[in-house]
Amino acid sequence: MLEYWLSSIQHPWLLALLILLGSYILEDAAIVFAALLSADGAISSQLAFWALFIGIFTGDLGLYGLGVLARKVNRLSRFLDLSSVERSGVWLENRMSTTVLSVRIIPGLRFPVYTACGFFKLSFLKFFMLVFIASIVWTAFLFSGFYAVGVMFWSELGLWKWILLPVVVILIMYGHRLIYRTYGVLK
């Protein structure tokens, strides 16, 4: 039974699904995981890349949708200074392109900015196109970098690589928390 379970985990389409779902939970770790699995030959680089891209892209679109839903919560207005909120919406609308593209690389800002785009009902088509471009460039850049590193040394590590992978994921999670705390995103 255990052998069947382990062999089914190695199926490329199941790995692609896990990569896609993993990108919703911890995007950077999913990128590292996908690139290293691909470098190891467990999944094709094309399938791993597209699973990542679809997960990252749809996750960003989901943040926009969350903002649209938040606008419909009437009780929320009790906690907001509506004039400040409207000024923020105008500011974001005037700087939408540069803001949406730049927050892709700044940890901790995608959630508030992409959700705000939906909350302020900014152009979904423009948001869609900007997020598409940002997601494909970001995913290609990081995936190819980690894939190249993985091809250079990953197969040489033998069984140690499966111990090293969770360590890398934990270091990424710790790095995110450190960045969030340093820049005041998490209090």
Side-chain angles (χ1 to χ4, degrees), residues 1-2 4-5 23 40 50 64-65 69 87 105-106 113 117 130 133 157 167 172 176:
M1 184 67 168
L2 180 61
Y4 173 76
W5 186 78
S23 71
D40 199 45
W50 288 111
Y64 183 97
L69 290 174
R87 281 194 309 272
I105 61 171
I106 303 171
V113 171
C117 287
L130 290 168
I133 292 165
L157 293 175
V167 171
I172 290 170
H176 275 273

Side-chain angles (χ1 to χ4, degrees), residues 10-165:
Q10 295 174 353
H11 191 280
W13 287 102
L14 180 58
L15 288 175
L17 178 63
L18 292 174
I19 290 167
L20 186 143
L21 295 174
S23 71
Y24 294 143
I25 299 166
L26 190 58
E27 182 178 291
D28 294 343
I31 292 171
V32 172
F33 181 71
L36 295 179
L37 280 176
S38 181
D40 199 45
I43 185 172
S44 75
S45 56
Q46 296 87 358
L47 182 57
F49 173 81
W50 288 111
L52 273 173
F53 168 72
I54 290 168
I56 291 168
F57 179 61
T58 58
D60 290 349
L61 294 178
L63 293 176
Y64 183 97
L66 189 62
V68 170
L69 290 174
R71 188 168 185 95
K72 296 179 182 187
V73 177
N74 293 332
R75 289 183 273 166
L76 192 60
S77 64
R78 288 187 293 188
F79 302 104
L80 301 173
D81 175 4
L82 295 180
S83 63
S84 294
V85 168
E86 290 307 316
R87 281 194 309 272
S88 299
V90 170
W91 183 92
L92 183 57
E93 187 171 21
N94 292 335
R95 293 161 184 82
M96 184 177 176
S97 296
T98 55
T99 305
V100 167
L101 292 173
S102 62
V103 300
R104 165 51 56 204
I105 61 171
I106 303 171
L109 292 182
R110 265 184 323 116
F111 178 79
V113 171
Y114 289 4
T115 305
C117 287
F119 184 83
F120 294 122
K121 297 182 183 175
L122 302 185
S123 168
F124 179 74
L125 181 58
K126 185 175 182 180
F127 180 83
F128 183 95
M129 295 306 295
L130 290 168
V131 168
F132 180 87
I133 292 165
S135 297
I136 205 147
V137 169
W138 175 256
T139 305
F141 178 74
L142 288 180
F143 179 82
S144 61
F146 283 111
Y147 178 80
V149 169
V151 166
M152 285 192 279
F153 79 89
W154 192 246
S155 61
E156 304 300 320
L157 293 175
L159 290 175
W160 284 102
K161 62 187 166 193
W162 302 113
I163 296 169
L164 183 61
L165 186 59

